Amino acid sequence: MTDTPARLLQLLSLLQTPREWPGGELADRLGVSRRTVRRDVDRLRELGYPVQATLGADGGYRLVAGKAMPPLVLDDEEAVAIAVGLRAGAGHAVDGVEEASVRALAKLEQVLPSRLRHRVATLQAATMPLTGGWGGDSATVDPHTLTVMASAVTGQERLRFAYRKGDGSESRRQVEPYRLVSTGRRWYLVAYDVEREDWRTFRVDRVAEPFATGARFAPRELPARDPAEFVSRSLSRMQPMVDLDVTFEAPADFVTARLPRSMGAPEPLGESRCRLRTRVADSPEWLAIRLALVDCEFAVAQPVEMTAYLADLGARLSRAAGPQPE
């Protein structure tokens, strides 16, 4: 490669991966001599990039932490991932994060090529966060699957895909995609199933071979206030119902702000106490953790089995906070 600026950018992109690169391998990747690699490394150091060299038969190079933050070189997928993450961070009221996310996002989107700005905007416009979280393990989702679905949502195109249910059975689906919903642990697609003639919620990690057919459709009216509420209701039907009765030693507004919307609002019992009586779809173990995260004193009247779990959980936490054996 004879174009020095382009070669330096490619070298920098390689060095930004968390590994050590032998000089010979870098020379082969760049199509230059090892002497040219050494000169290029010196140029990067002059620009402020802390490149560390190791001695040996072939020698090696790696990018290490320095005193200042140098510019980064990102490929297309990395740029899209960072932009989507920054947009999510900008939408949450976390002290010190929201403003910084907006500033960083503005800098990134200013230099993003139009094709990448379109991908970021498409994914963001088709996604709605579901706050409050649901139990269960997180699931890995193929970014390509998300991109195809987001494009179909935005373009109002019918979507075909293979779907694996929780019991392992597989089927082919054709749907009119409405919106993607993120719970923080999983992604869900809200869509109208054309063959079953009804609305459905699909776990995106169970989707394979998504394909936008190109057939357009007019959006139907969603039988819920918004997609997040529809997913909440769908998940509720899959979970056992629990009668919850708990008293908090805190004002109702304080408790309401710290509980998922799906659990409802507590009833005030004066200025500093409130009571929550509701039916929720979740396990007593997960509900116990949710109640503890409210960060105030509380007493559970129902379900009875949660009382035993709270006692056991409290004992384990006390042991964990105690002196550690040598």
Side-chain angles (χ1 to χ4, degrees):
M1 180 181 295
T2 58
D3 186 345
T4 300
R7 189 177 67 245
L8 285 175
L9 288 175
Q10 184 178 352
L11 173 59
L12 181 58
S13 180
L14 293 172
L15 290 175
Q16 283 179 167
T17 57
R19 56 162 290 189
E20 181 172 302
W21 289 87
E25 187 175 350
L26 286 175
D28 292 340
R29 288 287 192 105
L30 300 173
V32 297
S33 66
R34 298 185 188 184
R35 183 178 179 181
T36 300
V37 170
R38 289 194 295 269
R39 287 202 304 265
D40 287 348
V41 167
D42 289 337
R43 291 190 180 98
L44 289 179
R45 288 170 176 161
E46 292 173 358
L47 293 173
Y49 293 94
V51 182
Q52 185 180 75
T54 57
L55 301 177
D58 196 25
Y61 302 95
R62 67 185 306 165
L63 199 63
V64 297
K67 296 181 180 179
M69 179 70 184
L72 299 177
V73 176
L74 306 172
D75 61 27
D76 286 4
E77 298 300 326
E78 292 167 344
V80 171
I82 291 175
V84 171
L86 288 172
R87 285 192 174 190
H92 292 279
V94 181
D95 187 27
V97 172
E98 182 177 5
E99 182 182 353
S101 297
V102 171
R103 292 200 311 268
L105 181 61
K107 292 178 181 178
L108 180 59
E109 292 197 338
Q110 183 178 0
V111 297
L112 277 180
S114 59
R115 69 181 190 280
L116 298 187
R117 282 200 300 270
H118 176 71
R119 286 177 58 184
V120 172
T122 296
L123 183 57
Q124 191 72 17
T127 304
M128 171 177 287
L130 172 59
T131 58
W134 284 83
D137 299 329
S138 60
T140 302
V141 176
D142 183 0
H144 173 71
T145 298
L146 277 178
T147 302
V148 172
M149 287 185 166
S151 297
V153 169
T154 304
Q156 297 177 2
E157 291 184 66
R158 284 191 175 183
L159 189 69
R160 289 179 180 171
F161 53 82
Y163 191 68
R164 174 178 50 83
K165 296 179 65 175
D167 59 7
S169 60
E170 297 184 355
S171 61
R172 303 291 302 186
R173 303 296 183 98
Q174 181 175 189
V175 304
E176 296 174 356
Y178 188 83
R179 190 67 62 88
L180 285 165
V181 176
S182 170
T183 67
R185 288 191 175 112
R186 289 174 179 152
W187 288 84
Y188 293 89
L189 174 68
V190 176
Y192 184 84
D193 193 312
V194 177
E195 296 181 359
R196 290 159 179 78
E197 298 183 343
D198 197 6
W199 289 90
R200 292 288 190 270
T201 298
F202 301 95
R203 273 180 52 173
V204 178
D205 59 294
R206 293 177 177 170
V207 170
E209 304 171 10
F211 173 73
T213 65
R216 306 288 180 175
F217 65 89
R220 304 170 189 264
E221 183 178 354
L222 183 71
R225 180 174 52 186
D226 56 44
E229 181 184 272
F230 185 82
V231 171
S232 295
R233 284 177 8 199
S234 297
L235 295 178
S236 298
R237 291 193 291 268
M238 304 175 191
Q239 297 281 352
M241 297 301 296
V242 175
D243 289 314
L244 183 64
D245 186 353
V246 55
T247 301
F248 297 92
E249 299 298 327
D253 291 345
F254 177 92
V255 175
T256 301
R258 287 160 176 78
L259 286 176
R261 186 178 62 183
S262 59
M263 293 181 68
E267 172 191 0
L269 298 177
E271 295 184 358
S272 59
R273 297 181 73 230
C274 61
R275 183 180 184 182
L276 178 65
R277 289 179 288 186
T278 184
R279 282 176 62 84
V280 292
D282 230 320
S283 67
E285 294 80 11
W286 175 246
L287 288 173
I289 296 173
R290 289 297 315 175
L291 296 178
L293 291 176
V294 174
D295 197 23
C296 70
E297 298 290 330
F298 65 93
V300 176
Q302 290 218 12
V304 178
E305 58 268 28
M306 187 188 295
T307 305
Y309 179 78
L310 283 169
D312 181 63
L313 177 62
R316 279 187 279 129
L317 292 175
S318 297
R319 291 193 296 270
Q324 298 295 317
E326 296 182 0

